[in-house]
Amino acid sequence: MTSKKLVNSVAGCADDALAGLVACNPNLQLLQGHRVALRSDLDSLKGRVALLSGGGSGHEPAHAGFIGKGMLTGVVAGAVFTSPAVGSILAAIRAVAQAGTVGTLLIVKNYTGDRLNFGLAREQAQTEGIPVEMVVIGDDSAFTVLKKAGRRGLCGTVLIHKVAGALAEAGVGLEEITKQVNMVAKAIGTLGVSLSSCSVPGSKPTFELSADEVELGLGIHGEAGVRRIKMATADEIVKLMLDHMTDTTNASHVPVQPGSSVVMMVNNLGGLSFLELGIIADAAVRSLEGRGVKIARALVGTFMSALEMPGISLTLLLVDEPLLKLIDAETTAVAWPNVAAVSITGRKRNRVAPAEPQEALDSTAVGGSASKRMALVLERVCSTLLGLEEQLNALDRAAGDGDCGTTHSRAARAIREWLKEGPPPASPAQLLSKLSVLLLEKMGGSSGALYGLFLTAAAQPLKVKTSLPAWSAAMDAGLEAMQKYGKAAPGDRTMLDSLWAAGQELQAWKSPGADLLQVLTKAVKSAEAAAEATKNMEAGAGRASYISSARLEQPDPGAVAAAAILRAILEVLQS
């Protein structure tokens, strides 16, 4: 079965993609009759060297995203993963020559088709009297023993675009640019890893991986890598990649060692989430700095992809100050990131958080039977929520992300850790305030915010009195805060339904002579009934409100969790 793609046609997808980029970027133009994009200000390049690159489509934003002042003059694109036509390459060379440039440098990734087609176009252009040079970039660090074909051209090519572009913008001549670029190319290494393959439009995935496998050392055309490794943590995979890239017994290694200064690129191969990309970047920074390597600049993003491949490549370029100035030079290329000209290593990355305001302690704040009873209640609530984790997640999957149980378990573990630090405050107001801060910080999600709001508001009436009427007022205050900011109302199929039902029963505490346990028992039963009733409600708030009511055949997980918390409190008080 072929993969799904948002295209108009398989045959026209490369043309459409390039046309879309040009349509949205006034600084670019298409060369009529060819799959070529050029700077729209070609005439301003008179007397300077032009830079052309390209290759198969499917590597976006490479290469057309790097057209602009200070980078490429133009790009020649082939079909997906296919070298561009010789005629189009030659047409691009002629176009920049006619604009008055003094020579053209072709920057080519080391693949047979690209070398042949760009090379043929260069030979033809030279017969026409156009000065053309060509550099072939091979930065792949995957192969421990080099074959005749040499190292493949990967994401390090983008750094070559930047260096060559800065030199050309400064007015450096063709011969000198070619010489410097060839020297820089020897100081680059790239290694890729992926969780699965990609698929060319109209085709099946290019290779298969089992659930516990990762492909190491793969290229950018969906081809398999040098070996398969077992799935591991991000830290472990990054360490393995850097070990492989810098191993001096590896014939394609990059000579990075303690004391080296590098530009690091963390490149998304197309389908990795930004969450994972950040985790990989953090792991790479820590691993490199742990080896004594100075990271002069860090570029993180999508620079050279392989369609939707869920993987990354790491690129290291050895740099000195003159080379860094070329990396930092201004460019208008839309895909080049806005990187600060400041070293990553040695920068202070943390700011001290403001101190919490000191709260006046109640004379009964810590210790005693009340504090012990509070601890028992909290422990029972925690064990209840941890036991419900899978059930709550299963209920939550009907409405989307399926993490309600995980969120509540995170809160339970945070409370347990807090209890290990010492006995909880015996003062109800201080206890609720402390729990509010804890849940807001540790629980996360909308549940954490709602519980935090509820507890913060509920603590206020208890600062003056802790009688049963005060506890009823605390429940009222908490419910009011939840409705004010959460925008939910009773009947909207949320956690509020359980709490609201309990709150109505707790109004009885305001009557003289009310019995604590009798009223609380009725409140818990009402909360449980309300939670069960949510299965017949149409969601009016929260994520579930975006889901068809026909799919919500189970009770709301938040309502179930709230009722379970109340049940846990009752059971401890009864015992």
Side-chain angles (χ1 to χ4, degrees):
M1 180 179 177
T2 58
S3 60
K4 291 189 290 186
K5 299 278 194 247
L6 285 172
V7 299
N8 296 314
S9 69
V10 172
C13 62
D15 294 288
D16 291 347
L18 192 60
L21 179 67
V22 172
C24 297
N25 190 339
N27 296 321
L28 302 184
Q29 289 180 323
L30 289 172
L31 188 61
Q32 190 173 358
H34 299 278
R35 198 182 290 125
V36 173
L38 296 166
R39 284 175 59 172
S40 57
D41 62 345
L42 276 187
D43 292 338
S44 69
L45 300 179
K46 188 173 182 179
R48 295 186 181 182
V49 173
L51 305 176
L52 296 177
S53 189
S57 297
H59 304 304
E60 291 73 20
H63 297 276
F66 300 109
I67 298 174
K69 178 183 177 181
M71 287 194 80
L72 298 176
T73 310
V75 158
V76 191
V80 174
F81 293 172
T82 303
S83 298
V86 175
S88 290
I89 301 170
L90 186 57
I93 295 172
R94 288 168 177 161
V96 296
Q98 288 173 9
T101 58
V102 294
T104 298
L105 177 63
L106 304 178
I107 302 172
V108 181
K109 298 189 301 300
N110 188 29
Y111 294 99
T112 302
D114 288 355
R115 288 198 317 270
L116 288 173
N117 290 5
F118 277 91
L120 284 168
R122 177 200 178 202
E123 293 296 325
Q124 180 62 43
Q126 285 180 327
T127 66
E128 298 175 10
I130 303 174
V132 182
E133 295 293 342
M134 186 169 96
V135 291
V136 178
I137 308 303
D139 57 309
D140 186 7
S141 292
F143 296 100
T144 56
V145 178
L146 287 182
K147 299 180 180 180
K148 185 177 181 180
R151 301 164 71 185
R152 295 172 292 192
L154 301 175
C155 191
T157 309
V158 175
L159 293 174
I160 295 298
H161 293 161
K162 185 66 182 65
V163 170
L167 291 169
E169 188 65 29
V172 178
L174 178 59
E175 184 178 344
E176 181 62 22
I177 294 176
T178 304
K179 177 184 174 182
Q180 289 200 40
V181 162
N182 277 321
M183 289 179 59
V184 172
K186 295 175 183 177
I188 303 179
T190 299
L191 188 67
V193 68
S194 184
L195 307 179
S196 64
S197 179
C198 62
S199 55
V200 174
S203 302
K204 298 178 180 179
T206 52
F207 62 83
E208 298 289 340
L209 282 174
S210 63
D212 65 341
E213 287 182 322
V214 174
E215 195 80 13
L216 179 71
L218 71 175
I220 52 172
H221 299 97
E223 70 270 39
V226 293
R227 64 186 172 111
R228 291 181 179 179
I229 58 176
K230 289 298 181 182
M231 189 67 193
T233 66
D235 281 356
E236 291 167 339
I237 287 176
V238 167
K239 180 182 182 301
L240 179 66
M241 294 175 74
L242 292 174
D243 286 347
H244 187 93
M245 294 173 69
T246 59
D247 183 354
T248 54
T249 66
N250 174 1
S252 60
H253 76 282
V254 57
V256 172
Q257 51 192 290
S260 295
S261 183
V262 301
V263 169
M264 177 189 78
M265 292 184 80
V266 181
N267 173 55
N268 188 348
L269 287 172
L272 206 67
S273 69
F274 281 94
L275 178 88
E276 293 162 288
L277 198 64
I279 293 169
I280 293 290
D282 176 60
V285 169
R286 286 187 285 105
S287 185
L288 283 170
E289 290 183 339
R291 299 162 190 247
V293 176
K294 177 185 176 183
I295 304 172
R297 303 287 183 271
L299 287 70
V300 182
T302 305
F303 305 103
M304 185 175 288
S305 65
L307 292 169
E308 81 284 22
M309 182 174 282
I312 57 107
S313 65
L314 293 179
T315 298
L316 300 178
L317 165 64
L318 285 162
V319 291
D320 54 19
E321 284 303 315
L323 185 52
L324 265 183
K325 287 182 179 179
L326 299 176
I327 295 292
D328 291 337
E330 181 185 356
T331 178
T332 60
V334 294
W336 183 260
N338 183 20
V339 179
V342 179
S343 176
I344 298 300
T345 299
R347 184 178 64 87
K348 188 176 181 181
R349 295 173 190 155
N350 293 302
R351 179 184 293 272
V352 177
E356 292 288 335
Q358 292 297 312
E359 190 172 327
L361 285 175
D362 190 291
S363 59
T364 60
V366 176
S369 60
S371 180
K372 292 178 181 177
R373 188 158 56 248
M374 296 288 190
L376 289 173
V377 168
L378 291 175
E379 179 53 43
R380 177 65 67 89
V381 169
C382 291
S383 60
T384 297
L385 292 178
L386 290 169
L388 287 173
E389 180 173 2
E390 289 305 318
Q391 179 187 340
L392 295 175
N393 280 342
L395 292 175
D396 196 31
R397 276 191 281 272
D401 54 3
D403 68 345
C404 182
T406 303
T407 302
H408 281 79
S409 291
R410 189 159 55 238
R413 293 187 181 94
I415 292 171
R416 278 185 167 176
E417 288 300 312
W418 176 61
L419 289 174
K420 290 179 182 178
E421 297 173 6
S427 162
Q430 291 188 8
L431 175 67
L432 298 189
S433 295
K434 292 287 186 183
L435 288 173
S436 170
V437 172
L438 185 68
L439 297 186
L440 285 170
E441 183 179 341
K442 301 292 186 181
M443 187 175 187
S446 56
S447 296
L450 288 169
Y451 278 118
L453 279 168
F454 178 88
L455 293 170
T456 298
Q460 305 314 307
L462 297 172
K463 288 182 176 180
V464 180
K465 295 180 180 180
T466 58
S467 59
L468 289 182
W471 277 102
S472 179
M475 187 70 165
D476 293 343
L479 290 170
E480 182 181 351
M482 289 181 74
Q483 290 182 86
K484 179 179 180 180
Y485 294 102
K487 299 299 182 184
D492 278 347
R493 196 183 187 277
T494 68
M495 62 191 289
L496 181 68
D497 289 300
S498 294
L499 295 172
W500 180 267
Q504 298 314 294
E505 295 293 343
L506 295 183
Q507 295 299 315
W509 277 347
K510 295 175 181 176
S511 302
D515 182 88
L516 167 66
L517 292 179
Q518 186 178 2
V519 173
L520 185 57
T521 300
K522 290 181 67 177
V524 171
K525 289 180 178 178
S526 292
E528 291 171 336
E532 183 65 19
T534 57
K535 68 166 60 175
N536 300 316
M537 295 178 184
E538 182 172 345
R543 185 178 285 108
S545 63
Y546 301 106
I547 308 297
S548 169
S549 58
R551 290 174 55 190
L552 302 174
E553 301 172 349
Q554 302 294 330
D556 178 72
V560 171
I565 291 170
L566 293 172
R567 169 63 65 182
I569 294 171
L570 173 64
E571 289 174 350
V572 174
L573 296 180
Q574 285 176 328
S575 64

